[in-house]
Every structure is written in C-alpha cells, then in structure tokens.
Amino acid sequence: MAGSDGTVRRKVQRKSWLAFAALAALLIISMRAGEFWLNRVSILQPTTLAPTATGGGEVLLIGDSRVAQWPAPAGWAKAGYSGQSVIRIAGVAPTLLRQQAYRTVVIQAGINDLTAICLLPLRERDPAQARSVAAVSSIVASARSLGVVPVVTLVVPPIEPDLARRLLMGRCLQARIPQFNASLLSLRGRGVRVIDLSPALRQGDGWGVGVARNDLHWTAAAYERLTDLLQSELALR
C-alpha cells in the first residue's frame, strides 16, 4: 500500500507541476502579446522623430521601413522611419522638406498604421484611420506650401502574409487597405499625384516571383522595378 500511495503521490505532483508550467507559459505568452499590442498601437500617437534624410537631389522619398530599405537612385534623398506610422512621419515632414530644395516628394507610408489599427477595438478603428489619412493630407499640404510636388503612393498589401498576421488581422487588413487607398485617391488633383506601385510587383493575377523579402518588405529586385516605375511616372509629369 505504501508503494502504491507513493506512486499516486508522484503522479499528482507531476500533474501539478505540469499544470503550473502550462499556466506560467500562458502567462508569459499573454504578457508578450500585451507588450506587442502596446508597442504596435502606440505608433498611432504622435511623437517627435529626428529630421534625418540621406542622399540628396530634387526628389525626396519619405515613409516607413519600406522607404528605409529603398536603394534610392542618384539624385534622390530618402527619409525612412522603420516601424513608424504616417501620423508620426507627418510631424517631421515639414522640417525635412525645408532641408533641401526638393522638386518632388514621394510619400510611401500607411501600412504600419493599418496593422496597428487592426489591433484596436472595433469602435476605435474608423477614427484612427481617419487620423492617418489626415496625416498624409498634412504632408501633402506642407509640400505644396513649399512649392514641392507631392506624389502619394497607395499602400501595397502584405505579400504572402504569415500565419500570425493572417490570424490577428487578415480580414481587417483586407478590408482597410482598399478603404485607405480610396481615401488617398481622393487627394488626386490640384497638383497632387497618386500612384499605385502594385503593378510593378505583380505578374499576371498574382505577385511576381522574388519580389517579397517577407510579407511586408521587398527584395532588391522589387525595388529596381519600383524605382523604374516611379522614374517613368515622374518623367511624365
């Protein structure tokens, strides 16, 4: 009996430790998920960014990590803020635009706003998206006030999104990106150009082979296509 009781006791202890370990793992996952949520949605609040641009010339590329990773051609400057929202980028744009005598500014931002917006409660998403659209309009207004031609690029959807992104925000992003782009298209006219970059990355009915470095970022080959597209579009102005 004593041996049997000891075996039962060990089994109970083992189950208790397993339950404790599972609870601890769940707590760690919850804490990390909470940190991720806070970090993502915090970018929707304005803050001060450093007005730093690299390169120089008549064209300024301004935006998020998609711009930070862009191999800008000769005669182009760029100011890319990885992980930042257009809400924050709009705050530093007027200073950047005054640093050199730019002829054109190309604005490529918004995907970070939309991924953060999709983590918000439903009732907060539309107002947050409206603020992001207003931020793009603010950059456009700053450019025009300085005699710089603003070129707004539509948000390119994630390419081959991973499982986590599909589960967390897949349907939300699928709905919000077209809405956001429709708002950007409404800015067209009166000296404002709006360009869709997606055709340079597509092949047939899908995305081109070798254009995605990950779901949100592009390869060097993709950037070559995008630069060619922009240069040809700007030459037509």
Side-chain angles (χ1 to χ4, degrees):
M1 288 291 294
S4 177
D5 289 344
T7 300
V8 171
R9 189 179 300 110
R10 284 193 296 273
K11 288 183 177 179
V12 171
Q13 289 175 341
R14 187 180 300 113
K15 288 181 179 179
S16 296
W17 277 110
L18 287 174
F20 175 78
L23 182 61
L26 182 61
L27 180 61
I28 291 171
I29 292 171
S30 298
M31 291 174 63
R32 288 183 176 177
E35 290 173 1
F36 171 80
W37 183 87
L38 287 173
N39 288 336
R40 291 309 302 162
V41 300
S42 67
I43 68 169
L44 298 174
Q45 301 301 320
T47 193
T48 302
L49 300 177
T52 304
T54 59
E58 294 186 333
V59 178
L60 171 65
L61 274 168
I62 185 171
D64 48 36
S65 58
R66 290 174 164 180
V67 168
Q69 297 173 18
W70 199 308
W76 290 30
K78 71 173 184 179
Y81 296 91
S82 296
Q84 296 295 348
S85 64
V86 72
I87 288 175
R88 292 182 168 184
I89 294 167
V92 74
T95 303
L96 287 167
L97 288 166
R98 291 186 179 93
Q99 288 180 339
Q100 297 188 45
Y102 296 115
R103 178 174 60 88
T104 304
V105 58
V106 178
I107 306 158
Q108 162 52 222
I111 188 63
N112 291 330
D113 299 66
L114 294 173
T115 55
I117 286 167
C118 286
L119 296 174
L120 293 174
L122 288 174
R123 68 181 182 278
E124 297 179 19
R125 293 179 182 179
D126 286 345
Q129 184 164 315
R131 289 192 293 273
S132 294
V133 172
V136 178
S137 298
S138 173
I139 300 174
V140 166
S142 294
R144 295 189 65 201
S145 70
L146 295 169
V148 180
V149 176
V151 177
V152 179
T153 62
L154 300 182
V155 171
V156 177
I159 300 173
E160 302 173 1
D162 57 27
L163 179 60
R165 195 177 301 279
R166 290 200 302 269
L167 291 175
L168 281 173
M169 55 191 74
R171 290 184 178 178
C172 175
L173 275 180
Q174 287 176 6
R176 297 228 161 240
I177 289 175
Q179 293 173 6
F180 191 81
N181 283 341
S183 297
L184 298 185
L185 284 167
S186 70
L187 302 175
R188 184 166 46 193
R190 294 177 298 178
V192 182
R193 300 193 61 193
V194 180
I195 296 175
D196 183 6
L197 299 177
S198 293
L201 304 176
R202 291 192 174 277
Q203 184 175 354
D205 294 331
W207 296 106
V209 176
V211 299
R213 189 168 63 80
N214 55 41
D215 60 335
L216 290 182
H217 301 102
W218 308 315
T219 61
Y223 277 117
E224 287 183 12
R225 298 185 190 183
L226 294 170
T227 299
D228 288 344
L229 172 63
L230 277 179
Q231 287 179 322
S232 63
E233 288 284 347
L234 296 180
L236 295 174
R237 185 177 63 84

